[in-house]
């Protein structure tokens, strides 16, 4: 059904399409607790701003990924672009003028956001009237991020074709799921790693992921997905920054490789 909503002064009005019985999240992070926000995350196609664009402004803090939108006149925050779902819209259920028949509220541990953000990732995925035979590239990568953040090596490897290639460009390509498994086993054993989605786009069989981690490292990944599984993965990040952020000793081979590459570049 279509819900109408607004800020307090009603300069900002909007519509959102959602079920008659809503499933909302209550977050205990600092900003949500103080603002009394009740979260309804939807795909952007389900949201329409009707009026008030000129009076909207936004507040960003910490990672500056989330865009906390509020009315400059009355100060109410009726919706925003969340850090967990930057491709979606998070509507404040308390700002809906159309009342739902019921609201089921689930507690979300925003105080430990990095450990729980994956639980919200599915909420901004576009649903289809017909069930598809395989997950889309975007859905596959969302599952990949979820497994990665849980250090679920078996779950990760299940997302690759047997002959898949994973090429993190700072290292040699890994060919085959056995080599990919060994890579994950080694990396998760020596480092605590988390992947926060900054942007996630889909084009044909490709999904393009821009990511960051809580330590400030940033990078991007390209995933070729066929029949719901990853055929090719290519990733870019600064390996030296990774070593330093994780307090890992830098192997001599890193400097030897960098020196050789620098000479070849000349």
């Amino acid at each position: 059904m279509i819900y109408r909503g607004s800020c307090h002064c009603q300069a900002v009005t909007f519509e959102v399409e959602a079920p008659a019985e809503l499933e909302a999240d209550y977050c205990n992070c600092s900003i949500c607790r103080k603002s009394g926000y009740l979260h309804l995350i939807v795909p952007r196609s389900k949201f329409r701003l009707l009026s008030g664009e000129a009076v909207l402004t936004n507040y960003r803090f910490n990672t500056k990924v989330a865009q906390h939108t509020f009315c400059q006149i009355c100060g109410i925050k009726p919706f925003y672009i969340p850090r967990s779902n930057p491709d979606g819209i998070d509507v404040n259920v308390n700002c809906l003028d159309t009342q739902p028949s019921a609201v089921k509220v689930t507690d979300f541990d925003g105080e430990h956001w990095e450990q729980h953000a994956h639980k919200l990732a599915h909420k901004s995925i576009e649903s289809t009237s017909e069930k598809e035979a395989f997950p889309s590239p975007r859905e596959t990568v969302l599952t990949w991020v979820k497994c990665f953040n849980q250090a679920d090596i078996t779950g990760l490897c299940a997302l690759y074709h047997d002959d898949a290639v994973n090429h993190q460009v700072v290292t040699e390509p890994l060919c085959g799921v056995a080599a990919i498994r060994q890579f994950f086993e080694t990396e998760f054993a020596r480092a605590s790693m988390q992947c926060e989605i900054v942007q996630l786009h889909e084009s044909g069989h490709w999904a393009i992921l821009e990511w960051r981690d809580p330590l400030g490292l940033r990078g991007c990944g390209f995933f070729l997905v066929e029949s719901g599984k990853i055929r090719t993965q290519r990733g870019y990040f600064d390996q030296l920054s990774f070593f330093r952020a994780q307090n890992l000793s830098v192997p001599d081979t890193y400097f030897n490789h960098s020196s050789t590459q620098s000479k070849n570049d000349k």
Side-chain angles (χ1 to χ4, degrees):
M1 63 178 288
I2 302 297
Y3 294 88
R4 294 290 295 265
S6 63
C7 63
H8 187 263
C9 70
Q10 297 196 337
V12 178
T13 60
F14 63 89
E15 288 181 345
V16 62
E17 183 180 349
E21 297 185 2
L22 298 181
E23 294 185 0
D25 296 284
Y26 173 77
C27 176
N28 63 354
C29 78
S30 59
I31 192 168
C32 293
R33 189 174 64 249
K34 291 187 176 184
S35 63
Y37 206 94
L38 193 56
H39 300 262
L40 173 64
I41 301 173
V42 298
R44 288 203 189 186
S45 64
K46 304 296 184 184
F47 177 88
R48 187 160 70 99
L49 181 63
L50 301 177
S51 67
E53 184 175 3
V55 300
L56 287 172
T57 187
N58 71 74
Y59 166 63
R60 304 191 190 200
F61 67 101
N62 194 13
T63 64
K64 296 181 169 53
V65 174
Q67 301 179 41
H68 298 273
T69 309
F70 61 92
C71 172
Q72 297 181 70
I73 300 171
C74 64
I76 293 298
K77 175 182 165 186
F79 61 88
Y80 78 109
I81 299 174
R83 178 183 172 196
S84 60
N85 301 72
D87 58 342
I89 295 287
D90 192 337
V91 172
N92 188 350
V93 174
N94 293 324
C95 288
L96 294 178
D97 300 320
T98 307
Q99 294 302 307
S101 60
V103 181
K104 178 184 176 182
V105 179
T106 301
D107 288 334
F108 174 76
D109 187 2
E111 288 187 339
H112 303 92
W113 189 92
E114 287 79 9
Q115 288 80 11
H116 299 281
H118 66 273
K119 298 176 183 177
L120 305 175
H122 68 283
K123 292 179 178 286
S124 55
I125 296 176
E126 295 279 0
S127 61
T128 56
S129 55
E130 242 175 86
K131 185 174 175 151
E132 296 180 355
F134 300 104
S136 68
R138 185 180 183 280
E139 291 169 334
T140 299
V141 173
L142 283 171
T143 303
W144 185 93
V145 171
K146 176 181 177 180
C147 292
F148 185 93
N149 288 337
Q150 294 176 340
D152 180 0
I153 296 172
T154 298
L156 283 167
C157 291
L159 296 171
Y160 290 87
H161 286 280
D162 289 343
D163 60 348
V165 176
N166 183 341
H167 186 196
Q168 303 302 307
V169 296
V170 293
T171 62
E172 294 299 316
L174 303 171
C175 300
V177 72
I180 293 170
R181 172 180 286 276
Q182 186 177 15
F183 167 76
F184 284 128
E185 288 174 347
T186 300
E187 294 305 306
F188 281 118
R190 68 172 182 163
S192 176
M193 300 182 293
Q194 289 286 305
C195 174
E196 298 177 9
I197 297 174
V198 178
Q199 297 286 340
L200 179 56
H201 301 283
E202 178 177 318
S203 179
H205 292 292
W206 287 90
I208 302 96
L209 170 68
E210 180 187 359
W211 59 265
R212 73 181 303 280
D213 72 7
L215 299 176
L217 188 68
R218 302 182 75 97
C220 60
F222 298 81
F223 299 78
L224 174 61
V225 179
E226 296 176 353
S227 302
K229 289 192 174 186
I230 300 165
R231 177 73 65 187
T232 303
Q233 178 182 352
R234 191 165 65 249
Y236 300 84
F237 67 97
D238 182 356
Q239 189 180 43
L240 185 57
S241 296
F242 171 79
F243 289 143
R244 289 171 174 167
Q246 295 286 343
N247 292 317
L248 298 173
S249 59
V250 181
D252 293 336
T253 53
Y254 175 87
F255 294 107
N256 293 338
H257 174 73
S258 299
S259 175
T260 302
Q261 188 176 46
S262 177
K263 290 178 181 177
N264 291 338
D265 289 343
K266 294 178 182 178

